[in-house]
Amino acid sequence: GESVGLHLPTLSVQEGDNSIINCAYSNSASDYFIWYKQESGKGPQFIIDIRSNMDKRQGQRVTVLLNKTVKHLSLQIAATQPGDSAVYFCLPWGGGKLIFGQGTELSVKP
Amino acid sequence: EAEVAQSPRYKITEKSQAVAFWCDPISGHATLYWYRQILGQGPELLVQFQDESVVDDSQLPKDRFSAERLKGVDSTLKIQPAELGDSAMYLCASSLGAGTDIQYFGAGTRLSVL
């Protein structure tokens, strides 16, 4: 069934610090989760995904953690850079179409 | 690196006029999507094609919007007549297949209706 990720709308971090973007979902049937990044004036860009049989997955400077018990994900960005400034969306999937919620806007302070 | 191409990048039109947007997906991608994104919100799916067939157009306002993908490659989204509330970013995406296959997005067409 369809599900949407719920985010805090904004997050501000200092350049060089680690960022943690949180996402809650409601549909316990969600078994696949995707993170997209959308920079201003551009289309969304795939970052990383994770399946429900995993609780952690690492990419380049990013780590996604999945806690199915409380239906929560987080995207961690190490050593945040100005180029990380964007809106981040988590998309839970359990069948049907992917639904973008409102996302979290990450601002990086110099 | 292969990209999804969209044109035009920007379009300004007056209400009641017709507008059309074009999308060329990544070569070999069978699934093509059109999304509308209102400022401050996430993209909303308007229509999904599998090859030349529509598989989901439940959110497409069919009284004024139409979409086609005649040869299963590039696609056109049309609005006629345009209304003030249609001002938004129109994004095209493509993927190899449907479901969980990664969607690759174009840069979008920013539409302003005056």
Side-chain angles (χ1 to χ4, degrees), chain A residues 3-7 87-92 99-104, chain B residues 37 40-43:
Chain A
S3 183
V4 63
L6 302 174
H7 296 256
V87 178
Y88 290 81
F89 299 95
C90 85
L91 284 76
I99 300 177
F100 286 81
Q102 291 196 305
T104 294
Chain B
Q37 186 173 25
Q41 299 183 18

Coordinates of all heavy atoms in Angstrom, one line a residue, chain A residues 3-7 87-92 99-104, chain B residues 37 40-43:
Chain A
S3 N 2.4 4.9 1.1 CA 2.7 5.5 2.3 C 3.6 6.7 2.0 O 4.1 6.9 0.9 CB 3.6 4.5 3.1 OG 3.9 5.0 4.4
V4 N 3.6 7.7 2.9 CA 4.4 8.9 2.8 C 5.3 9.1 4.0 O 4.9 8.7 5.1 CB 3.4 10.1 2.6 CG1 2.6 10.3 3.8 CG2 4.2 11.3 2.2
G5 N 6.5 9.6 3.7 CA 7.4 9.9 4.8 C 7.1 11.2 5.4 O 6.7 12.2 4.7
L6 N 7.1 11.3 6.7 CA 6.8 12.5 7.4 C 8.1 13.1 8.0 O 8.9 12.4 8.7 CB 5.9 12.3 8.6 CG 4.5 11.6 8.1 CD1 3.7 11.3 9.3 CD2 3.8 12.6 7.2
H7 N 8.4 14.4 7.7 CA 9.6 15.0 8.0 C 9.4 16.3 8.9 O 8.3 17.0 8.7 CB 10.3 15.5 6.8 CG 10.7 14.5 5.8 ND1 12.1 14.1 5.7 CD2 10.1 13.8 4.9 CE1 12.1 13.2 4.7 NE2 11.0 13.0 4.2
V87 N 16.5 20.0 -0.4 CA 15.3 19.4 0.3 C 15.5 17.8 0.2 O 15.8 17.3 -0.9 CB 14.0 19.8 -0.3 CG1 12.8 19.1 0.4 CG2 13.8 21.3 -0.2
Y88 N 15.4 17.1 1.3 CA 15.6 15.7 1.3 C 14.2 15.0 1.6 O 13.5 15.4 2.5 CB 16.6 15.3 2.4 CG 18.0 15.7 2.1 CD1 18.4 17.1 2.3 CD2 18.9 14.9 1.5 CE1 19.7 17.5 1.9 CE2 20.2 15.3 1.2 CZ 20.5 16.6 1.4 OH 21.8 17.0 1.0
F89 N 13.9 14.0 0.7 CA 12.7 13.3 0.8 C 13.0 11.8 1.2 O 13.9 11.2 0.5 CB 11.9 13.3 -0.5 CG 11.5 14.7 -1.0 CD1 12.3 15.3 -1.9 CD2 10.3 15.2 -0.6 CE1 11.9 16.6 -2.4 CE2 9.9 16.5 -1.0 CZ 10.8 17.2 -1.9
C90 N 12.2 11.2 2.1 CA 12.3 9.8 2.2 C 10.9 9.2 1.7 O 9.9 9.8 1.9 CB 12.5 9.3 3.7 SG 11.1 9.2 4.7
L91 N 11.0 8.2 0.9 CA 9.8 7.6 0.3 C 9.7 6.1 0.7 O 10.5 5.3 0.2 CB 9.9 7.7 -1.2 CG 9.7 9.0 -1.8 CD1 10.9 10.0 -1.7 CD2 9.4 8.9 -3.3
P92 N 8.8 5.8 1.6 CA 8.5 4.4 1.9 C 7.7 3.8 0.8 O 6.9 4.4 0.2 CB 7.7 4.5 3.2 CG 7.6 5.9 3.6 CD 7.9 6.7 2.4
I99 N 5.3 8.1 -3.2 CA 4.7 9.3 -2.9 C 5.7 10.2 -2.2 O 6.3 9.8 -1.1 CB 3.4 9.2 -2.0 CG1 2.4 8.3 -2.7 CG2 2.8 10.5 -1.6 CD1 1.1 8.0 -1.9
F100 N 5.9 11.4 -2.7 CA 6.8 12.4 -2.1 C 6.0 13.2 -1.1 O 4.9 13.7 -1.4 CB 7.3 13.4 -3.1 CG 8.4 12.8 -4.0 CD1 8.0 12.0 -5.1 CD2 9.7 13.1 -3.8 CE1 9.0 11.5 -6.0 CE2 10.7 12.6 -4.7 CZ 10.4 11.8 -5.7
G101 N 6.5 13.3 0.1 CA 5.9 14.2 1.1 C 6.5 15.6 0.9 O 6.8 16.0 -0.2
Q102 N 6.6 16.3 2.0 CA 7.1 17.7 1.9 C 8.6 17.8 2.1 O 9.2 18.7 1.7 CB 6.4 18.6 2.9 CG 4.9 18.9 2.5 CD 4.3 20.0 3.2 OE1 4.4 20.1 4.4 NE2 3.8 21.0 2.5
G103 N 9.2 16.8 2.7 CA 10.6 16.7 2.8 C 11.2 17.6 3.9 O 10.4 18.4 4.5
T104 N 12.5 17.5 4.1 CA 13.2 18.4 5.1 C 14.2 19.3 4.3 O 15.0 18.8 3.5 CB 14.0 17.6 6.1 OG1 13.1 16.9 6.9 CG2 14.9 18.5 6.9
Chain B
Q37 N 5.0 19.8 -9.3 CA 5.5 20.2 -8.0 C 5.2 21.7 -7.8 O 5.7 22.6 -8.5 CB 7.0 20.0 -7.9 CG 7.6 20.3 -6.5 CD 9.0 19.9 -6.4 OE1 9.8 19.8 -7.3 NE2 9.4 19.6 -5.1
G40 N 7.2 24.6 -2.5 CA 7.2 24.2 -1.1 C 6.6 22.8 -0.8 O 6.5 22.4 0.3
Q41 N 6.2 22.1 -1.9 CA 5.7 20.8 -1.7 C 6.5 19.8 -2.5 O 7.3 20.1 -3.3 CB 4.2 20.8 -2.2 CG 3.3 21.7 -1.4 CD 1.9 21.6 -1.9 OE1 1.5 20.6 -2.5 NE2 1.0 22.5 -1.5
G42 N 6.3 18.5 -2.2 CA 6.9 17.5 -2.9 C 6.3 17.2 -4.3 O 5.1 17.6 -4.5
P43 N 7.0 16.6 -5.2 CA 6.3 16.3 -6.5 C 5.1 15.4 -6.3 O 5.1 14.5 -5.5 CB 7.5 15.5 -7.3 CG 8.7 16.0 -6.6 CD 8.4 16.1 -5.2

